[in-house]
């Protein structure tokens, strides 16, 4: 009680809220959860944070690329 009358919603249409992806971010696969980071992004974050060393980073990255087919551009096959 004592709060006063409820405030009505604005009479003008509200624009939709849009999110922008970070530069270089990949879109997730359909049905992949939307905002979930990719495995390669998680790996890169762990390397940047010092959780894994460079050797471990490259070893795991090669496994991910082999499994998901995300080969590097410009590399000789």
């Amino acid at each position: 009680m004592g709060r006063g009358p409820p405030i009505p919603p604005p009479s003008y249409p509200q624009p939709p809220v849009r999110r922008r992806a970070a530069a270089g971010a990949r879109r997730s696969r359909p049905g992949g959860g939307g905002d979930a980071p990719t495995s390669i992004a998680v790996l890169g974050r762990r390397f940047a944070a010092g959780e894994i060393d460079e050797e471990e980073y490259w070893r795991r990255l090669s496994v991910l690329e082999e499994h998901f087919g995300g080969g590097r551009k410009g590399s000789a096959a």
Side-chain angles (χ1 to χ4, degrees):
M1 298 199 173
R3 293 185 185 172
I7 300 173
S11 59
Y12 53 90
Q14 296 291 316
V17 176
R18 295 185 183 189
R19 291 178 165 209
R20 295 188 66 150
R26 294 184 181 177
R27 293 182 181 247
S28 61
R29 291 188 211 113
D35 291 337
T38 65
S39 301
I40 294 175
V42 171
L43 182 63
R45 193 171 318 126
R46 290 187 64 200
F47 176 58
E51 294 177 27
I52 58 175
D53 62 11
E54 186 176 2
E55 183 180 328
E56 180 81 359
Y57 171 80
W58 288 113
R59 186 175 60 80
R60 290 178 182 245
L61 182 62
S62 67
V63 170
L64 288 172
E65 288 178 338
E66 189 176 298
H67 186 267
F68 293 112
R72 294 184 200 107
K73 291 181 180 178
S75 63

